[in-house]
């Protein structure tokens, strides 16, 4: 019979795997939503909010539950470890959506080239902004697993993975929320109201 500490450790491992997968699927939701926004489909009558919730929070369960069952059966039968849970589709799908979005942005910038003399700089900015939003950095190291990487490549992989995964939420908040003109004007209004009240 497993001790309470071992059960807690296994529960934490399952929760961690679920959160990692949920993170990947929310990258996918962000990519799909932005793509639909760019092509104008977000204004259709159909509300995709519930579908996005199922995709972001529900899909990881489809992978985690069988992994937990396999891990439990393998550990009990052989005493070995069933390994980590790997799920490849979201990063590759995001890469395809990322390329489609860049194509749409490039077409829009070229169409307004007279209005935007610096359209190449704008495209570069959009590209660098979308990389952390969609988790494109995951694709770069998807085939370089911890077991396969050694030396300096391992340090580079760990640094970029930890840095981008740790600060992704912050980067998205700064780029898409606090740098947004509408958000800044609302914050300015709230600040003015607060100053008047105090």
């Amino acid at each position: 019979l497993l001790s309470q500490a071992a059960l807690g450790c296994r529960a934490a491992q399952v929760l961690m795997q679920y959160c990692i997968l949920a993170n990947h699927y929310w990258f996918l939701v962000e990519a799909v939503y932005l793509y639909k926004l760019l092509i104008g489909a977000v204004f259709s009558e159909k509300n995709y909010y519930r579908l996005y919730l199922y995709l972001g929070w529900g899909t990881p369960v489809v992978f985690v539950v069988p992994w937990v069952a396999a891990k439990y059966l393998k550990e009990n039968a052989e005493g070995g470890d069933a390994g980590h849970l790997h799920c490849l589709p979201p990063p590759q799908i995001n890469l395809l959506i990322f390329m489609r979005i860049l194509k749409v942005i490039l077409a829009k910038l070229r169409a307004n080239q007279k209005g935007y003399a610096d359209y190449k700089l704008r495209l570069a900015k959009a590209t660098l902004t979308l990389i952390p939003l969609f988790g494109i950095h995951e694709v770069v190291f998807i085939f370089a697993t911890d077991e396969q990487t050694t030396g300096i490549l391992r340090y580079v992989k760990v640094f970029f993975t930890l840095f981008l995964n740790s600060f992704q939420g912050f980067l998205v908040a700064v780029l898409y929320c606090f740098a947004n003109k509408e958000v800044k004007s609302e914050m300015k209004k709230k600040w003015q109201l607060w100053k008047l009240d105090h």
Side-chain angles (χ1 to χ4, degrees):
L1 199 64
L2 287 172
S3 69
Q4 221 173 2
L7 278 173
C9 187
R10 288 186 180 186
Q13 186 181 24
V14 169
L15 182 64
M16 183 187 77
Q17 295 295 335
Y18 173 80
C19 290
I20 289 169
L21 275 183
N23 186 39
H24 286 288
Y25 277 96
W26 277 107
F27 284 153
L28 181 59
V29 169
E30 290 167 352
V32 169
Y33 178 76
L34 186 60
Y35 182 70
K36 288 176 73 54
L37 187 68
L38 274 173
I39 62 169
V42 81
F43 301 110
S44 66
E45 293 296 316
K46 194 166 182 182
N47 186 356
Y48 291 98
Y49 182 71
R50 186 169 284 159
L51 181 65
Y52 293 151
L53 286 176
Y54 290 145
L55 182 61
W57 295 120
T59 308
V61 173
V62 173
F63 294 100
V64 170
V65 169
W67 174 75
V68 168
K71 191 168 179 62
Y72 177 79
L73 292 172
K74 183 166 178 132
E75 285 176 359
N76 284 345
E78 301 170 13
D81 186 15
H84 295 289
L85 175 61
H86 294 288
C87 182
L88 300 177
Q92 284 105 350
I93 295 169
N94 277 1
L95 181 62
L96 294 174
I97 294 172
F98 173 74
M99 291 188 295
R100 295 284 307 228
I101 287 175
L102 286 182
K103 191 176 173 184
V104 170
I105 291 171
L106 182 60
K108 287 185 178 193
L109 287 173
R110 279 191 177 153
N112 297 328
Q113 193 171 357
K114 290 175 185 164
Y116 303 119
D118 60 341
Y119 85 95
K120 288 182 181 174
L121 180 65
R122 286 175 175 262
L123 180 65
K125 247 170 87 173
T127 303
L128 291 174
T129 303
L130 292 174
I131 287 172
L133 179 68
F134 290 179
I136 299 302
H137 60 279
E138 297 282 341
V139 176
V140 175
F141 296 112
I142 203 162
F143 298 108
T145 61
D146 289 339
E147 294 81 20
Q148 294 171 334
T149 54
T150 56
I152 194 77
L153 179 62
R154 185 181 186 106
Y155 292 119
V156 168
K157 176 188 185 281
V158 168
F159 173 78
F160 277 105
T161 303
L162 290 177
F163 179 80
L164 290 170
N165 285 347
S166 300
F167 290 103
Q168 182 203 12
F170 175 73
L171 288 170
V172 169
V174 168
L175 296 170
Y176 289 95
C177 184
F178 300 117
N180 185 301
K181 289 177 187 172
E182 294 152 7
V183 172
K184 285 199 280 191
S185 75
E186 283 299 316
M187 289 175 71
K188 203 173 191 179
K189 284 180 198 172
K190 294 287 183 193
W191 176 251
Q192 296 296 332
L193 286 171
W194 184 82
K195 278 184 14 182
L196 286 172
D197 287 344
H198 294 87

